[in-house]
């Protein structure tokens, strides 16, 4: 056998091996666990963005808690109002006990 013929056979075996390897890899099952996808998040923020909307929403949350806007609130920045609105909204949120009174109950067998 000539060197050229041996080289041709070696190249053919190499290409065939590569093709076989690719085929085996493509056919194998993926053993990673399935990925669960959560519910789509709303695209629009539920927190008001303008100063006027924030003041209106903050006032509503304060009224819900039986309070009024603090004195001198007009000098607060929009970011400060947003922070106070979010804080009051969290304070007004129902507790777990309000949502499900039996939540703290022990369940024994």
């Amino acid at each position: 056998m000539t060197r050229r013929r041996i080289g041709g056979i070696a190249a053919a075996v190499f290409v065939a091996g590569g093709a076989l390897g690719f085929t085996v890899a493509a056919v194998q099952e993926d053993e990673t666990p399935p990925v669960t996808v959560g519910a789509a998040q709303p695209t629009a923020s539920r927190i008001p963005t303008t100063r006027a909307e924030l003041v209106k929403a903050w006032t509503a949350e304060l009224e819900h808690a039986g309070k009024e806007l603090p004195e001198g609130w007009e000098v607060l920045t929009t970011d400060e109002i947003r922070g106070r609105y979010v804080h009051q909204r969290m304070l007004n949120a129902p507790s777990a006990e309000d949502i499900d009174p039996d939540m703290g109950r022990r369940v024994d067998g």
Side-chain angles (χ1 to χ4, degrees):
M1 287 185 139
T2 65
R3 277 192 164 171
R4 184 176 276 181
R5 188 172 193 136
I6 293 173
I9 292 172
V13 169
F14 180 76
V15 170
L20 180 63
F22 178 77
T23 303
V24 169
V27 172
Q28 278 185 337
E29 290 287 325
D30 187 12
E31 295 182 18
T32 58
V35 176
T36 54
V37 178
Q41 298 297 316
T43 55
S45 172
R46 294 177 60 193
I47 297 177
T49 53
T50 67
R51 182 179 179 90
E53 291 172 340
L54 283 165
V55 170
K56 183 178 177 182
W58 184 30
T59 303
E61 290 293 333
L62 288 171
E63 287 175 357
H64 179 71
K67 300 178 182 178
E68 295 178 351
L69 286 170
E71 193 172 315
W73 68 268
E74 297 91 352
V75 298
L76 297 173
T77 66
T78 302
D79 285 337
E80 290 172 326
I81 293 172
R82 182 178 296 108
R84 291 184 182 207
Y85 160 69
V86 170
H87 177 75
Q88 188 62 51
R89 187 171 168 185
M90 290 174 62
L91 290 177
N92 290 351
S95 67
E97 195 64 30
D98 293 336
I99 295 171
D100 184 2
D102 294 332
M103 190 168 188
R105 176 186 60 153
R106 279 188 64 158
V107 179
D108 293 323

